[in-house]
């Protein structure tokens, strides 16, 4: 049986070009996911890859020769469809950030830089970068979704001199509290219940209407374990 010569295969140019553009966007999305490994980023890359493949399958010119009306309809459909496709993908995949909130420690520096540029009053006390020698690093961001409260916290183990230096830096602004006086999300997420009484909370801000929209930011310290946590909620 004689094989078809793929080199001579003809394509409907707009459809073919559009499939290449989607494949290129998928490649960029995969690189983005590799650099910032979020489930939603991977989902967007996969959706673009599948979409590009489906468009490519409809690119052979013979399909349009059978139905010339498909020419203009397809081009318009591609132009209108891609933005809608991306929007739907982002909207439906964004809740995955709530399920997988852990960010890589090496991402912290540029993420915090962006936060301080946009919301300096909220994150001024967070370190610009994770100090060298820090261990057991936890960097999590829970985005607000459907009017839910957002949480961000950086927790790690450090030497006593570092922890004491941080506490001295904000001693004039902080209000020492216990876990019974304020609800702090990282405390219940990352710390064993038997350690709650050992944690010292230094509150830098608390919302004016905590019953309606509870919000707080500050520093948590477990001096015995050498743990410090910067939190915003």
């Amino acid at each position: 049986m004689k094989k078809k010569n793929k080199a001579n295969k003809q394509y409907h140019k707009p459809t073919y070009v559009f499939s290449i553009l989607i494949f290129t966007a998928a490649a960029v999305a995969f690189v983005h996911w590799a650099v910032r490994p979020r489930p939603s980023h991977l989902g967007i890359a996969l959706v673009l890859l599948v979409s590009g493949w489906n468009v490519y399958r409809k690119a052979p010119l013979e399909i349009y020769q059978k139905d010339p009306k498909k020419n203009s309809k397809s081009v318009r459909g591609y132009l209108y469809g891609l933005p809608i496709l991306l929007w739907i993908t982002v909207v439906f995949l964004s809740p995955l950030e709530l399920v997988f909130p852990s960010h890589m420690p090496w991402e912290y520096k540029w993420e915090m830089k962006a936060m301080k540029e946009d919301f300096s009053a909220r994150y001024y006390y967070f370190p610009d970068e994770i100090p060298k020698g820090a261990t057991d690093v936890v960097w999590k961001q829970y985005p607000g979704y459907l009017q839910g409260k957002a949480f961000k916290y950086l927790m790690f183990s450090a030497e006593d001199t570092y922890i004491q230096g941080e506490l001295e830096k904000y001693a004039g602004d902080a209000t020492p509290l216990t876990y019974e006086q304020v609800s702090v999300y990282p405390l219940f997420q990352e710390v064993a219940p038997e350690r709650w009484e050992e944690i010292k909370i230094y509150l830098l801000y608390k919302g004016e209407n905590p019953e309606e929209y509870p919000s707080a930011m500050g520093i948590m310290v477990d001096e015995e374990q050498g743990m410090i946590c910067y939190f915003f909620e």
Side-chain angles (χ1 to χ4, degrees):
M1 187 175 179
K2 190 176 180 180
K3 294 183 179 180
K4 291 184 178 180
N5 187 357
K6 293 185 178 180
N8 295 328
K9 190 172 183 179
Q10 293 183 316
Y11 295 94
H12 178 249
K13 193 170 182 179
T15 304
Y16 181 78
V17 170
F18 198 76
S19 68
I20 297 301
L21 289 175
I22 297 179
F23 281 134
T24 302
V28 172
F30 274 111
V31 171
H32 185 221
W33 168 69
V35 174
R36 306 189 71 181
R38 303 282 172 277
S40 58
H41 296 168
L42 176 60
I44 291 171
L46 291 174
V47 168
L48 287 170
L49 182 63
V50 172
S51 300
W53 175 247
N54 285 332
V55 173
Y56 177 77
R57 287 176 57 195
K58 298 174 182 177
L61 187 61
E62 59 190 31
I63 296 176
Y64 293 87
Q65 289 174 338
K66 293 178 182 178
D67 185 3
K69 291 183 180 180
K70 277 190 174 183
N71 190 351
S72 59
K73 288 182 180 179
S74 295
V75 174
R76 286 200 304 268
Y78 301 148
L79 292 176
Y80 296 148
L82 184 59
I84 296 173
L85 172 68
L86 290 175
W87 180 79
I88 291 175
T89 303
V90 171
V91 168
F92 280 94
L93 290 178
S94 59
L96 288 176
E97 304 292 340
L98 299 173
V99 183
F100 301 96
S102 295
H103 289 216
M104 300 299 175
W106 47 264
E107 295 179 276
Y108 175 84
K109 184 175 181 179
W110 71 64
E111 289 180 343
M112 185 50 59
K113 182 177 183 294
M115 290 179 192
K116 287 189 174 183
E117 288 176 352
D118 296 333
F119 306 101
S120 58
R122 292 183 184 179
Y123 303 106
Y124 73 95
Y125 61 100
F126 275 74
D128 291 335
E129 56 185 299
I130 299 172
K132 294 180 180 179
T135 58
D136 304 319
V137 179
V138 176
W139 169 227
K140 290 189 177 182
Q141 298 188 54
Y142 292 82
Y145 188 73
L146 295 177
Q147 296 185 345
K149 190 164 69 168
F151 304 91
K152 294 180 176 65
Y153 55 89
L154 171 69
M155 180 182 295
F156 55 84
S157 297
E159 295 182 355
D160 184 63
T161 52
Y162 174 85
I163 294 176
Q164 293 304 319
E166 288 296 281
L167 296 182
E168 290 174 6
K169 192 186 300 182
Y170 305 107
D173 303 320
T175 303
L177 298 172
T178 65
Y179 81 102
E180 293 179 343
Q181 296 172 297
V182 61
S183 173
V184 180
Y185 190 71
L187 191 65
F188 303 99
Q189 278 290 105
E190 307 291 344
V191 180
E194 59 267 22
R195 296 293 307 166
W196 288 354
E197 293 185 3
E198 308 300 324
I199 300 292
K200 295 179 181 178
I201 302 170
Y202 298 87
L203 202 65
L204 294 171
Y205 170 82
K206 187 174 182 180
E208 295 180 0
N209 299 311
E211 295 181 359
E212 185 177 359
Y213 295 107
S215 62
M217 64 185 195
I219 300 172
M220 287 168 34
V221 170
D222 185 341
E223 294 187 25
E224 185 178 326
Q225 298 289 332
M227 181 275 292
I228 185 168
C229 173
Y230 306 83
F231 66 89
F232 171 84
E233 56 180 66

